[in-house]
Amino acid sequence: LLILYGSNMGTSEEISNQIANEALKKGYKSRVSSLDEHGDVLPVEGAVLIVCSTYNGNPPDNAVKFLNSITSRTGADTYKGVRYSVMGCGNSDWKTFQLVPRTIDEQLAGLGAKRIHIKGEGDASGDFEGGFDQWYSSLWGSLAHEFSIGISEQDAGETMDMFRLTNFEKETLQPLPVPAIYHQMTVLKNEELQQVALSGRSTRHVEVALPAGLSYQPGDHLGVLPCNSETLTARVTRRFLLDPATVVLIEKTGTGTTFYPLDTKITIEHLLRDCVELQEVATRKNVKTLAGLTICPPEKKKLEWLLSEDENGYVKYVLESRRTVLDLIEEFAACEITFAKFLELLPPLRPRYYSISSSQKQNEGICSITVSVLDLPARNGNGQYLGTCSNYLSGKIPGTSVFAYRKPPVSAFRLPASIETPIIMIGPGTGFAPFRGFLEERKWLMDNGAGLAESVLFYGCRHPEQDYIYKDELAEFERRGVTKIITAFSRANATQKEYVQHKIYQHKNLVWQIMMQGGIIFICGDGSRMEPDVRHTLDTIYREKMNITTSFSWVDELIKTQKYQTDVWASF
Ligand code: FAD
């Protein structure tokens, strides 16, 4: 099996590795690579499985060349003899849901490859695992059928541990090496941007020192590797009655690959803090494993019920309430899970991305991010839910360091190359982050004699006295003529909620005028509600201006000509 992925945030890559592990257990020889690393020459021996996502309509960074290549080919026999299946990872809140995997699937079929198994579609805004399972549960059957090989019904290794942990005497250990893409960056500033006493919420301005030679442009992201909090890791050590300072060595006893540092001494505390996600929702497979390890009849019965078709079962109790493996093993205390098996059920700790909110021209050697701190009543009803990375960053004291790397945006989310191109920026809340970088850069250009084209920022928050982040700086940008600012406050007025889309409509003549002068619209922030509302408003403005009643979408046209640039993510 050749398993190829297109992945920016790591989900498709993780799934590919899971498939490869399972394949090994089932006796298949398998290889995993990114689509671009492997390239567009696909083998006619064995099968090709492609797991891929879409970002605002674009392919992941490591699938760009592959997609360009297969969409520019035409020969109906190009991939004759290639046998494949595609699994798409997406989020249906986005209009471009599944665009890239669907394109790959259709192109391969059109170029003569044989689809040997249905196309899979996982939807992160709903039951992702359910969608994945639909594809995955029958995958091995389809492969066996295609290659005329027998299938083993045995679910090998489900209850056997994949690791053996050996305890050692306590000793002081060197920290684990961090993957080479990360740089150690010293935190220079960490400041609150909201009036927390009034808003009850927190947004942090975090500045880090860049290592020598590392540069960035406004529009880039910083990928930050977090650590799990002590509160979380202590819950694990309590459940397994472990001393966090215990030194262990992990050896692999089962088949498959792993992200854990094998054959390396590490304390349990570091293992839990630096290697694994502890707050991911438990999958159905996890629940099945826990049920298999529970003998106590009432607890086993409830775990098995979670796996039933009952609508109050897995979807309500686990998925929608976001219960984790840790939540479940605390609740089902009779589950006889070993610590090694627990580790096997957890995904690797992944970086979180933050729009860089500064300009290097203004801040030599420094980069800032603007972090909205996720601290809300937990959906499972147990206290507060504290997001891993935002709370980790929130608590970082100046002088300490973080591991991070610079990541360019997937789309052309950059200030226009020509200073004569006017821009419209739409960025409510932390969506303003990249625009702070844009504005600092424009200010620097102005201070250095450039005559800049028009710029308008639509900024929104709840209340001007509560969560208006960077308020004074914005006033200064406007005073200096760096940009015009139009604000929308959703909770300032008891009778009328105003959002950025309302202000865009109110200022439709200005928006139209800028776009008729060849302007570019940039939009950043909540991709599930705000961006679709803005898109709808812009389409309405176009129809009014052009006096048409058809369903023609102006925004779709703007996207094609790169005049509508998005940097959006799912809000909570
Ligand atoms: P996590 O520990 O990852 O938790 C998030 C998960 O918790 C989600 O699955 C969510 O569904 C779930 N959840 C939410 N509320 C609850 C609840 N009440 N109970 C239980 N579970 C809940 N963020 C910024 O602040 N600033 C930026 O500039 C920025 N830029 C971004 C750019 C990109 C391209 C992307 C993809 C994201 C960006 N984000 C930004 C979001 C950021 O990357 C993180 O997702 C965010 O900080 C939350 O991460 P966390 O580790 O704190 O939360």
Side-chain angles (χ1 to χ4, degrees):
L1 297 181
L2 173 63
I3 307 162
L4 301 175
Y5 60 83
S7 183
N8 271 1
M9 307 296 168
T11 307
S12 300
E13 184 177 353
E14 215 180 284
I15 289 177
S16 300
N17 286 322
Q18 273 173 28
I19 299 172
N21 271 341
E22 193 66 27
L24 272 172
K25 287 183 195 167
K26 291 186 184 297
Y28 285 88
K29 215 160 91 181
S30 67
R31 206 151 48 88
V32 181
S33 163
S34 78
L35 282 155
D36 281 355
E37 252 164 19
H38 178 81
D40 58 1
V41 179
L42 300 179
V44 291
E45 265 182 1
V48 183
L49 303 177
I50 296 177
V51 187
C52 188
S53 42
T54 307
Y55 296 94
N56 308 328
N58 297 302
D61 294 344
N62 49 17
V64 175
K65 282 190 263 165
F66 181 85
L67 190 75
N68 284 344
S69 164
I70 64 162
T71 48
S72 60
R73 291 179 171 220
T74 48
D77 279 346
T78 309
Y79 286 127
K80 193 163 173 237
V82 171
R83 291 173 276 194
Y84 79 98
S85 178
V86 176
M87 169 68 210
C89 304
N91 182 321
S92 62
D93 285 341
W94 266 253
K95 212 183 157 195
T96 52
F97 179 58
Q98 297 287 341
L99 184 69
V100 173
R102 278 181 198 161
T103 307
I104 293 176
D105 182 53
E106 283 159 23
Q107 276 300 114
L108 290 182
L111 294 169
K114 180 180 176 192
R115 188 189 290 113
I116 55 166
H117 183 60
I118 48 160
K119 177 176 176 297
E121 296 198 342
D123 180 1
S125 86
D127 184 1
F128 181 90
E129 200 202 352
F132 172 69
D133 271 354
Q134 247 185 20
W135 177 76
Y136 195 59
S137 55
S138 49
L139 172 70
W140 304 107
S142 297
L143 288 168
H145 175 75
E146 180 63 29
F147 297 106
S148 308
I149 47 181
I151 8 173
S152 153
E153 289 304 323
Q154 227 182 344
D155 211 348
E158 221 35 78
T159 50
M160 266 179 55
D161 289 353
M162 182 176 173
F163 305 116
R164 179 173 50 234
L165 266 63
T166 316
N167 288 9
F168 283 83
E169 288 291 308
K170 283 184 193 163
E171 58 180 303
T172 311
L173 298 172
Q174 291 299 317
L176 281 180
V178 169
I181 54 162
Y182 293 98
H183 302 272
Q184 190 162 11
M185 301 184 190
T186 305
V187 176
L188 301 174
K189 260 190 201 169
N190 189 343
E191 293 173 348
E192 182 56 54
L193 294 170
Q194 296 208 33
Q195 301 301 317
V196 181
L198 297 173
S199 71
R201 295 178 305 142
S202 163
T203 304
R204 308 294 301 187
H205 173 79
V206 181
E207 272 184 24
V208 292
L210 293 176
L214 188 71
S215 62
Y216 67 88
Q217 286 183 50
D220 285 348
H221 296 120
L222 202 66
V224 179
L225 194 61
C227 293
N228 285 308
S229 70
E230 209 186 317
T231 316
L232 261 182
T233 59
R235 278 175 56 195
V236 181
T237 48
R238 248 194 326 270
R239 169 61 172 79
F240 289 100
L241 302 175
L242 295 167
D243 175 355
T246 304
V247 173
V248 292
L249 183 117
I250 308 177
E251 289 164 290
K252 197 147 70 72
T253 49
T255 49
T257 57
T258 177
F259 59 86
Y260 284 106
L262 295 177
D263 308 318
T264 308
K265 283 188 194 171
I266 183 171
T267 61
I268 285 180
E269 186 189 1
H270 284 195
L271 190 58
L272 293 171
R273 195 190 64 189
D274 300 331
C275 297
V276 287
E277 288 289 339
L278 290 172
Q279 302 208 96
E280 290 278 293
V281 178
T283 62
R284 282 190 182 80
K285 202 170 167 207
N286 293 158
V287 179
K288 193 172 163 201
T289 304
L290 299 185
L293 293 167
T294 307
I295 297 163
C296 166
E299 292 205 354
K300 189 176 186 72
K301 204 168 155 200
K302 185 162 180 197
L303 282 164
E304 282 174 350
W305 166 75
L306 287 179
L307 295 164
S308 71
E309 293 296 306
D310 191 320
E311 59 174 33
N312 292 318
Y314 177 79
V315 171
K316 271 231 161 68
Y317 196 77
V318 182
L319 187 64
E320 290 176 7
S321 309
R322 285 197 49 85
R323 284 189 160 80
T324 62
V325 173
L326 178 56
D327 291 334
L328 293 176
I329 59 170
E330 282 175 336
E331 182 179 346
F332 297 92
C335 174
E336 289 166 37
I337 185 169
T338 61
F339 180 57
K341 178 55 99 184
F342 172 71
L343 292 180
E344 201 183 311
L345 303 187
L346 303 176
L349 192 62
R350 57 183 166 76
R352 297 344 188 230
Y353 297 96
Y354 297 92
S355 305
I356 289 179
S357 58
S358 54
S359 153
Q360 195 164 7
K361 291 199 171 74
Q362 283 281 5
N363 309 273
E364 185 67 39
I366 292 174
C367 139
S368 76
I369 52 176
T370 305
V371 182
S372 166
V373 182
L374 175 51
D375 179 352
L376 292 171
R379 288 191 202 138
N380 64 13
N382 287 332
Q384 287 295 107
Y385 178 82
L386 304 180
T388 303
C389 193
S390 54
N391 284 278
Y392 163 72
L393 284 168
S394 169
K396 273 281 159 190
I397 297 165
T400 59
S401 60
V402 293
F403 283 95
Y405 75 101
R406 179 198 77 108
K407 186 172 180 298
V410 179
S411 60
F413 199 90
R414 296 244 190 256
L415 271 176
S418 163
I419 53 171
E420 283 164 17
T421 307
I423 57 171
I424 297 174
M425 295 168 282
I426 304 162
T430 28
F432 170 61
F435 302 134
R436 183 174 181 271
F438 280 22
L439 294 178
E440 282 199 344
E441 185 105 350
R442 277 174 67 90
K443 179 168 171 292
W444 185 90
L445 291 167
M446 268 178 75
D447 289 347
N448 285 276
L452 298 175
E454 194 167 1
S455 153
V456 181
L457 166 74
F458 288 93
Y459 172 76
C461 63
R462 290 183 179 177
H463 196 285
E465 305 306 327
Q466 298 180 3
D467 56 348
Y468 193 157
I469 59 173
Y470 301 111
K471 189 176 179 180
D472 296 341
E473 278 185 21
L474 275 167
E476 183 62 11
F477 282 134
E478 188 157 46
R479 195 188 64 76
R480 291 283 315 277
V482 180
T483 190
K484 181 179 168 62
I485 297 168
I486 299 172
T487 47
F489 301 112
S490 61
R491 305 215 179 150
N493 181 326
T495 52
Q496 201 186 3
K497 283 191 170 184
E498 274 196 316
Y499 293 103
V500 279
Q501 61 270 24
H502 302 128
K503 289 294 181 178
I504 292 169
Y505 187 73
Q506 279 170 25
H507 293 267
K508 58 187 172 186
N509 291 337
L510 176 64
V511 170
W512 188 251
Q513 173 215 314
I514 290 178
M515 294 313 287
M516 290 306 106
Q517 287 167 2
I520 301 179
I521 295 173
F522 294 91
I523 177 162
C524 179
D526 168 25
S528 39
R529 280 167 308 215
M530 183 270 295
E531 194 271 342
D533 286 345
V534 167
R535 189 185 271 261
H536 176 75
T537 306
L538 291 168
D539 282 342
T540 306
I541 294 174
Y542 180 85
R543 287 191 206 111
E544 281 182 23
K545 291 287 178 190
M546 300 302 284
N547 206 10
I548 56 168
T549 53
T550 61
S551 60
F552 173 83
S553 167
W554 184 35
V555 174
D556 284 351
E557 288 305 302
L558 293 174
I559 291 171
K560 281 186 204 149
T561 51
Q562 303 217 322
K563 296 213 170 281
Y564 184 86
Q565 295 293 342
T566 55
D567 181 22
V568 291
W569 60 88
S571 68
F572 305 120

